């Protein structure tokens, strides 16, 4: 298929993606802050590649700029692009 986003590499990334999706859907800046903190920790483990970092950073930036509709669309698209990862 024509995937926009890279596959996430860990279960932690997948749960972060779910958190991001929820945060964007509910326009919850506290959840965005939690997602960002979780992502910082995840990046520190060295298990997140550059493409994934860029994708998640883009979504976080949109959400933190309160561009919720765009953030929500991007988070949803990234989640869709995961297909069966982590099942």
């Amino acid at each position: 298929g024509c995937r926009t986003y890279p596959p996430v590499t860990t279960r932690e990334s997948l749960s972060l993606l779910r958190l991001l999706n929820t945060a964007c859907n509910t326009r919850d800046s506290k959840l965005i802050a939690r997602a960002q903190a979780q992502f910082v920790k995840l990046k520190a483990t060295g298990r997140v590649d550059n493409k994934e970092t860029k994708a998640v950073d883009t979504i976080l930036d949109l959400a933190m700029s309160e561009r919720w509709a765009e953030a929500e669309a991007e988070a949803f698209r990234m989640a869709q692009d995961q297909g069966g990862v982590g099942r």
Side-chain angles (χ1 to χ4, degrees):
C2 48
R3 126 189 324 233
T4 306
Y5 284 102
V8 296
T9 46
T10 63
R11 243 195 328 273
E12 293 86 351
S13 292
L14 208 57
S15 81
L16 172 72
L17 195 50
R18 287 197 194 102
L19 179 61
L20 261 181
N21 247 320
T22 303
C24 292
N25 288 342
T26 57
R27 290 160 166 61
D28 186 333
S29 46
K30 282 194 184 99
L31 275 186
I32 288 295
R34 192 187 320 161
Q36 189 178 30
Q38 205 173 321
F39 191 49
V40 168
K41 275 189 206 146
L42 192 57
K43 283 193 287 193
T45 67
R47 290 168 31 204
V48 184
D49 69 24
N50 287 342
K51 284 182 181 164
E52 192 180 325
T53 297
K54 204 170 157 194
V56 173
D57 280 341
T58 297
I59 296 166
L60 285 169
D61 288 345
L62 286 169
M64 288 186 295
S65 306
E66 296 193 356
R67 291 163 64 185
W68 293 112
E70 289 166 85
E72 187 177 347
E74 294 304 318
F76 182 71
R77 192 170 302 133
M78 187 171 178
Q80 273 192 320
D81 282 354
Q82 299 317 307
V85 174
R87 289 205 186 126

